[in-house]
Amino acid sequence: MKDDLIRKIREHRATIGVVGLGYVGLPLVLRFGEEHFSVIGFDVDPVKVTKLNSGESYIRHIPASRIQTLVKEKQFQATTDFGRLAEADCIIICVPTPLTAKKDPDLQYIEKTADAILKTLRKGQVISLESTTYPGTTDEILLDRFRTTGLEVGRDYFLVFSPEREDPGNPKFSTRSIPKVVGGTTSDCLDVGVTLYGQVIDKVVSVSSTRAAELVKLLENIYRSVNIALVNELKLLTERMGIDLWEVIDAAATKPFGYTPFYPGPGLGGHCIPIDPFYLSWKAKEYDFSTRFIQLAGEVNTAIPYYVVEKIGAALNDRSKSIRGSKVLVLGVAYKKDVDDVRESPALEIMELLQHKGALLSYSDPYIARLHKMRAYDFSHMSSLELTNDVLRSHDVAVITTDHSNFDYQRIVEAAPLIVDTRNATRNVTRGREKIVRA
Ligand SMILES: NC(=O)c1ccc[n+]([C@@H]2O[C@H](COP(=O)([O-])OP(=O)(O)OC[C@H]3O[C@@H](n4cnc5c(N)ncnc54)[C@H](O)[C@@H]3O)[C@@H](O)[C@H]2O)c1
């Protein structure tokens, strides 16, 4: 079974099934398709499926032309029919792994996908889970279910975990050039997994188990969360001390070894860093273990939007104004610069806090034309304002929450009466600096 599957993969005759066609799944579809594999994309969202089958992209940094080429050459089709999972030799799972309202792992998407695969699991398939999750998920959710079929893992079918490392909007790295970590349930599973990813990724790194592979991803994101918390806390201290933390970080970053710069901001954002660490702290409880670094980083980072709102209040107060009744223009609602993704964006938390205090909110973001209802926020009545000088002048304060590259910061500072900058985006502005407050 193993040798046949490996041969099929090496000869690019294997059919690839990608489940979950989002920020992670879609780039993988394209990568396999461009290496002439036949790819079936599975998603529960019929709108996405229809768009993809007509060659449209719904992710800004993925050009529609790449999808169109594959659709035209019949290399790729998207479907909501999970019965077709039987057609795939290799199934890659890229579904969401959010938190519940109580900040526990929400594994329903992986569970539903596992149930769907279970119905059609057959000899000669390899299943790879890519969704970020706690160590043990591949065993506890996939393997346990698949055992009920009587098929033997490592002999009849193969199971691996391979964490995704997409960095949306970063032009320096592509799916192909980012090394890929793989762990297998058995050594034969690992061989199949390494062969699979070796066809489309330049460097594949194997680890000894699926649990190790699961923890790799969490370590990477916990490392970021803890380091961001460190500079966010230092931001509060250096403000009192009258030291410019950004200057300090830039100078420290000239050290050619042993230091990686992290920058303070308005709070954590995105689908990964605010969420993933809690997958590990949740699992750690099973071992009577408290993950203190994770908790502390969570506390520090969660407090930052409140600090930003305080700074906005103080800056308005200095101009004899209150937050209540002031017109606040939020610049950038995406969670980071140059992306069209608002998931977990700290800008939304800041907007929510400002709204509670009676601010009159507007926003401008070249990548987010309008806001939709989300799990935690509902700004669905709002759409992006064009950033004209009149718009800037007509607000009491402009708050820079996302440092998009195409904002003209000099013009913003000249036109707006007051600017609160959470990203040091105005660092190169020369005129009107007295109107800038950093937060
Ligand atoms: N976005 C990133 O930069 C990034 C980076 C690394 C890891 N990850 C991880 O990858 C996983 C996927 O994240 P994403 O950003 O691609 O999410 P996403 O929301 O962009 O895409 C997920 C897709 O899965 C679909 N879906 C939901 N339930 C499904 C089901 N039962 N069957 C099939 N499709 C289903 C959704 O409709 C959506 O299209 C998460 O675990 C995330 O933590 C994301």
Side-chain angles (χ1 to χ4, degrees):
M1 226 11 87
K2 173 188 158 189
D3 294 342
D4 286 350
L5 179 56
I6 285 190
R7 197 172 316 117
K8 223 173 171 183
I9 293 171
R10 284 210 180 112
E11 292 169 3
H12 294 204
R13 286 185 294 111
T15 297
I16 312 293
V18 176
V19 185
L21 302 172
Y23 282 81
V24 168
L26 198 49
L28 268 179
V29 163
L30 298 177
R31 191 74 275 281
F32 277 101
E34 283 159 3
E35 293 295 337
H36 307 292
F37 283 91
S38 172
V39 185
I40 308 173
F42 297 86
D43 205 290
V44 286
D45 182 347
V47 176
K48 281 186 183 168
V49 165
T50 307
K51 277 193 173 168
L52 288 173
N53 283 333
S54 49
E56 284 175 50
S57 174
Y58 43 76
I59 298 179
R60 196 188 60 86
H61 63 270
I62 297 180
S65 58
R66 288 181 69 192
I67 301 166
Q68 279 155 16
T69 308
L70 295 184
V71 170
K72 214 184 307 156
E73 289 171 1
K74 300 206 181 326
Q75 207 79 45
F76 166 59
Q77 47 185 300
T79 181
T80 53
D81 175 7
F82 287 72
R84 293 192 61 196
L85 282 166
E87 294 172 37
D89 302 295
C90 312
I91 298 174
I92 302 179
I93 306 169
C94 310
V95 294
T97 44
L99 295 173
T100 64
K102 290 187 176 157
K103 294 226 186 274
D104 289 337
D106 182 357
L107 291 170
Q108 57 164 312
Y109 305 98
I110 297 184
E111 286 166 350
K112 281 183 191 146
T113 304
D115 289 338
I117 294 172
L118 180 64
K119 285 190 191 144
T120 57
L121 187 69
R122 59 165 170 83
K123 286 187 178 178
Q125 281 185 317
V126 54
I127 320 297
S128 175
L129 177 60
E130 294 214 6
S131 303
T132 306
T133 183
Y134 58 78
T137 309
T138 309
D139 287 350
E140 292 163 20
I141 295 186
L142 298 177
L143 185 59
D144 276 4
R145 274 182 176 68
F146 297 166
R147 276 205 182 101
T148 61
T149 60
L151 295 173
E152 193 178 318
V153 68
R155 187 191 68 189
D156 299 327
Y157 77 97
F158 305 89
L159 189 55
V160 297
F161 183 87
S162 179
E164 182 47 62
R165 281 174 164 162
E166 275 291 311
D167 188 11
N170 184 339
K172 277 198 234 146
F173 301 103
S174 64
T175 306
R176 179 181 180 159
S177 68
I178 302 173
K180 193 109 175 77
V181 172
V182 186
T185 303
T186 69
S187 59
D188 284 339
C189 292
L190 179 62
D191 290 346
V192 174
V194 169
T195 307
L196 172 64
Y197 287 109
Q199 308 308 308
V200 293
I201 310 278
D202 292 343
K203 185 172 180 195
V204 180
V205 179
S206 39
V207 293
S208 64
S209 64
T210 51
R211 287 152 63 90
E214 285 158 339
L215 188 54
V216 168
K217 174 73 190 182
L218 294 184
L219 171 63
E220 291 166 6
N221 283 344
I222 291 164
Y223 168 81
R224 286 186 61 75
S225 168
V226 167
N227 280 286
I228 292 168
L230 174 66
V231 286
N232 272 336
E233 188 177 68
L234 287 178
K235 172 168 81 168
L236 308 188
L237 172 65
T238 50
E239 186 188 301
R240 284 194 201 175
M241 297 173 93
I243 298 171
D244 179 349
L245 181 61
W246 278 275
E247 183 192 7
V248 173
I249 293 172
D250 286 346
T254 61
K255 185 179 178 189
F257 48 86
Y259 181 79
T260 303
F262 284 84
Y263 297 93
L268 289 186
H271 190 276
C272 297
I273 300 171
I275 293 175
D276 300 350
F278 295 104
Y279 268 71
L280 187 61
S281 45
W282 179 84
K283 189 66 178 173
K285 287 186 202 145
E286 214 175 284
Y287 297 82
D288 292 332
F289 194 93
S290 148
T291 48
R292 286 177 292 161
F293 271 98
I294 294 174
Q295 300 302 343
L296 182 58
E299 273 169 40
V300 172
N301 289 325
T302 308
I304 293 295
Y306 292 83
Y307 157 81
V308 171
V309 169
E310 261 176 43
K311 291 286 287 192
I312 296 167
L316 286 168
N317 186 60
D318 284 348
R319 283 151 186 81
S320 304
K321 291 181 179 172
S322 60
I323 290 182
R324 180 167 304 282
S326 281
K327 292 179 78 182
V328 181
L329 178 64
V330 174
L331 297 182
V333 289
Y335 79 86
K336 70 170 183 179
K337 74 173 179 181
D338 305 341
V339 302
D340 59 352
D341 189 348
V342 292
R343 287 178 293 176
E344 312 294 327
S345 175
L348 301 175
E349 179 66 16
I350 290 168
M351 285 164 67
E352 180 94 344
L353 295 172
L354 286 169
Q355 189 162 271
H356 274 130
K357 289 185 182 295
L360 307 172
L361 290 176
S362 333
Y363 83 91
S364 180
D365 190 315
Y367 301 111
I368 314 286
R370 50 174 307 150
L371 289 169
H372 298 278
K373 190 172 178 343
M374 280 159 278
R375 255 178 318 130
Y377 307 103
D378 187 3
F379 293 111
S380 51
H381 58 286
M382 292 180 73
S383 47
S384 176
L385 297 183
E386 199 189 329
L387 198 54
T388 61
N389 286 348
D390 283 345
V391 165
L392 285 160
R393 270 187 223 112
S394 67
H395 286 79
D396 297 294
V397 57
V399 182
I400 300 171
T401 36
T402 315
D403 49 344
H404 287 312
S405 311
N406 55 7
F407 278 143
D408 179 346
Y409 293 103
Q410 181 63 63
R411 185 173 67 81
I412 289 168
V413 171
E414 283 180 49
L418 171 65
I419 303 92
V420 175
D421 181 2
T422 67
R423 301 271 191 181
N424 201 19
T426 53
R427 64 171 68 202
N428 296 323
V429 166
T430 48
R431 294 179 300 279
R433 291 207 65 85
E434 68 286 352
K435 292 192 273 177
I436 303 170
V437 171
R438 283 207 305 212

